[in-house]
Structure formats: structure tokens, C-alpha cells
Amino acid sequence: MVVRVEDQGDSFRTLLGSIDGLTKAVGFRYPNTRLSCVIGIGSFLWDRLSPGHRPRQLNPFTLRKGVQREAVAT
């Protein structure tokens, strides 16, 4: 899933803060599924969410092209 954050990220910060609890709540109901959640945050959004605190090796995504497929820079 790709999410586009249009505002200053306040709603997204709230969502990020609730992901752990949501994952545990859903996973508790289905313990055999070993539910997990991974979130990737691009460098431009990181700069908006936490200006001046971007991890050193976090760089913008780049378009990747193969012979038959293409991974967009999202």
C-alpha cells in the first residue's frame, strides 16, 4: 500500500503511533497468523515529519527499470 501524505503529517503521525497497538489487537485474535507490519517512510516525508533528523543513509527512492518490469520511485 502506498500512502500519500498531503498535510503537514499530523494525521500520519497519529496513525504511526497507533500501528503497534492495532497490529497487536488484530494479531491477538488470530495468533497462528504471526501478523506483523512494516512501514517504510521516504526521505522527503521524513524531512516533513522530523525536520533536521533524517537518518544519514536515508536517500530518495529512485526509479528501477528492468527488462520487463519497473519499480516506480514511491
Side-chain angles (χ1 to χ4, degrees):
M1 176 184 339
V2 176
V3 177
R4 180 180 210 128
V5 178
E6 295 289 339
D7 62 9
Q8 292 299 330
D10 297 330
S11 299
F12 190 68
R13 278 190 199 91
T14 301
L15 173 66
L16 287 176
S18 65
I19 292 293
D20 183 53
L22 179 61
T23 303
K24 287 178 182 175
V26 173
F28 180 77
R29 292 182 184 129
Y30 305 97
N32 294 330
T33 62
R34 301 176 62 179
L35 180 67
S36 65
C37 180
V38 176
I39 297 174
I41 299 175
S43 63
F44 297 121
L45 178 57
W46 190 284
D47 290 343
R48 287 173 42 207
L49 294 175
S50 186
H53 296 97
R54 182 199 303 188
R56 188 175 325 152
Q57 296 189 12
L58 179 61
N59 299 304
F61 296 131
T62 55
L63 175 67
R64 302 285 186 194
K65 286 189 176 186
V67 176
Q68 296 180 339
R69 292 184 173 75
E70 178 176 294
V72 297
T74 57

